[in-house]
Amino acid sequence: MTKTKVMNWLQKNTMILILVLVVLFFTWQTGGKILLPQNITNLIAQNAYVFILATGMLLCILTGGNIDLSVGSVVCFTGAVGALLMATGMNMWLAVVVMLVIGLIIGGLQAFCIAYVHVPPFITTLAGQLIFRGLSNVILNGRTQTVSIQAFKDIFGGGATCYVPDLLGGNGINLLCIVVGVLACAAYLLVTFRNRMNRAKKGYSLEPIVPVIVRSLVIVAVVMFVMVKMAQYKGIPSALIWVVLVVAVYAYITSKTKMGRYLYAVGGNEKATKLSGIDTRKVYFFAYTNMGFLAALAGILTIARMASAQPTYGDSYEMDAISSCFIGGASAYGGVGTVPGVIIGAVLMGVINLGMSVMGIDQNFQKVVKGAVLLAAVIFDVVSKQNESK
């Protein structure tokens, strides 16, 4: 490859390389403890809310670097409502539907203010952050509400048995986990190279085959490594299923649908998008309504994992989601970013949290490190934009 192609490849895969280096660093510093099967499983289960919220936050950021500051409070509020409803004897599935509907309504109200009343997203969602944090305290009366329905905790990732049972009867290792990993890798390779062949038939420009093969082998190796580690513990946590479902759906929306193209168009040039006949108000409405829905889903996973609802839940969740997006390659100016990139950013933040926790680093210093990583990611984005414009 030429020097230019090498530089382009490095720029596209910067965060993947950084993630690998960070994992190697913490593996060295912790004596390999960070790669223990239980720690890897906990990394996924404990950060499920980050993956989900970051996926929704990406839609908001794509519209022009906008963010949603209310998601942590919405997580707390919807979780509190669900916990109280289940405590009164309501069927857990009906309670789940109620929580999701509340999230949609909240997202829709904020989306209406942003899209049709033209209140800036920062102000609208800041107001939502204060309102729903306050309402959470009011309905919980400042107390903890326990969640006792075991089936709810198992299905949404909070119970002691919240793992997919090994239907293949592995002895000491979860064979189902291994099989799922192999099938997932096979599906990824099939889709990747089929898309490449389709582009070749249509005469589109193609990325050099060597980087494609290298990237595919790295992804397959990482997936199988994680699946083997989980198989050595208890298998696939149920929270991972919800994360994969959300990531798959929204990756499809952003890459294969008209609304996905509109999101990128609005972030790239909103005025030009309007002139082309696209109703940008609907694009904003879609992005922020979806954010409310995903915040409610994150609320469900949170109270399931914690087996309770508290007025403090969801605190700083919005910061984790925003950080994951920018670290994962989303542009502070909007119009740039992908769901897979956001997931890489979320994994990187999770690895940093886990690594520092295993090392026994103070929580306050952990915040300093995460802030520095976020600032570095945004500086990298800004400098890259400046270089491209020259």
Side-chain angles (χ1 to χ4, degrees):
M1 292 190 293
T2 64
K3 183 178 179 181
T4 302
K5 290 181 179 180
V6 171
M7 293 302 295
N8 289 336
W9 184 86
L10 288 174
Q11 186 174 352
K12 290 180 181 179
N13 297 277
T14 299
M15 286 304 144
I16 296 177
L17 297 174
I18 291 175
L19 176 59
V20 172
L21 292 175
V22 169
V23 171
L24 292 175
F25 171 78
F26 282 118
T27 301
W28 169 54
Q29 288 291 320
T30 62
K33 291 181 181 179
I34 194 175
L35 297 180
L36 292 175
Q38 184 174 356
N39 281 336
I40 289 180
T41 302
N42 289 339
L43 173 67
I44 295 170
Q46 293 175 4
N47 290 280
Y49 76 90
V50 182
F51 298 132
I52 290 173
L53 291 179
T55 301
M57 192 67 71
L58 174 65
L59 304 188
C60 301
I61 291 174
L62 286 177
T63 61
N66 302 302
I67 56 177
D68 188 335
L69 295 174
S70 70
V71 293
S73 297
V74 175
V75 165
C76 184
F77 179 70
T78 54
V81 171
L84 289 170
L85 290 176
M86 285 185 280
T88 63
M90 178 179 285
N91 177 274
M92 74 171 208
W93 289 111
L94 182 56
V96 166
V97 171
V98 170
M99 284 186 275
L100 293 176
V101 170
I102 289 175
L104 276 172
I105 292 173
I106 293 172
L109 289 173
Q110 294 190 144
F112 179 80
C113 292
I114 293 168
Y116 294 95
V117 186
H118 303 295
V119 180
F122 182 88
I123 301 300
T124 301
T125 58
L126 178 60
Q129 181 187 62
L130 299 173
I131 290 169
F132 296 108
R133 180 64 64 184
L135 287 176
S136 300
N137 277 278
V138 170
I139 65 174
L140 287 173
N141 199 24
R143 301 175 181 174
T144 298
Q145 176 61 58
T146 59
V147 176
S148 57
I149 301 177
Q150 189 62 39
F152 174 81
K153 293 186 285 186
D154 289 343
I155 292 172
F156 293 100
T161 57
C162 60
Y163 296 86
V164 178
D166 186 5
L167 303 178
L168 302 179
N171 185 18
I173 189 168
N174 192 299
L175 292 180
L176 179 64
C177 192
I178 302 296
V179 171
V180 169
V182 171
L183 293 176
C185 291
Y188 167 75
L189 293 174
L190 178 63
V191 170
T192 298
F193 288 99
R194 187 179 65 179
N195 289 342
R196 183 179 176 83
M197 288 188 291
N198 289 337
R199 290 181 63 86
K201 289 179 180 178
K202 295 177 181 178
Y204 296 155
S205 61
L206 298 175
E207 182 181 359
I209 189 63
V210 174
V212 174
I213 293 175
V214 171
R215 183 170 60 247
S216 298
L217 290 177
V218 169
I219 291 174
V220 167
V222 170
V223 170
M224 287 309 303
F225 176 79
V226 171
M227 297 304 284
V228 168
K229 287 291 184 179
M230 289 195 300
Q232 293 173 351
Y233 184 55
K234 294 182 180 180
I236 303 172
S238 55
L240 179 59
I241 297 175
W242 296 104
V243 170
V244 170
L245 181 63
V246 168
V247 169
V249 169
Y250 283 87
Y252 178 82
I253 289 173
T254 54
S255 63
K256 301 293 184 181
T257 67
K258 285 185 178 180
M259 182 54 71
R261 291 191 290 272
Y262 294 166
L263 286 166
Y264 287 99
V266 169
N269 191 325
E270 184 174 352
K271 290 183 179 179
T273 305
K274 281 184 179 179
L275 292 174
S276 65
I278 297 171
D279 190 345
T280 57
R281 296 174 301 176
K282 292 181 180 179
V283 179
Y284 279 103
F285 190 85
F286 174 83
Y288 281 90
T289 301
N290 270 274
M291 188 71 260
F293 173 77
L294 292 177
L297 178 58
I300 293 170
L301 297 182
T302 298
I303 64 171
R305 184 170 67 87
M306 299 296 192
S308 65
Q310 291 185 14
T312 57
Y313 285 174
D315 186 36
S316 298
Y317 278 18
E318 60 276 359
M319 295 298 106
D320 291 334
I322 294 167
S323 299
S324 298
C325 289
F326 288 133
I327 292 171
S331 173
Y333 302 101
V336 175
T338 63
V339 172
V342 166
I343 298 305
I344 291 172
V347 171
L348 178 58
M349 291 297 290
V351 169
I352 292 173
N353 287 336
L354 178 61
M356 290 191 294
S357 296
V358 173
M359 292 173 63
I361 295 176
D362 182 73
Q363 286 284 340
N364 293 316
F365 189 72
Q366 291 185 29
K367 293 180 181 179
V368 174
V369 173
K370 289 192 289 186
V373 171
L374 173 59
L375 180 60
V378 176
I379 289 175
F380 178 80
D381 173 57
V382 172
V383 172
S384 298
K385 290 288 185 182
Q386 291 174 347
N387 291 335
E388 289 175 3
S389 62
K390 291 181 180 179

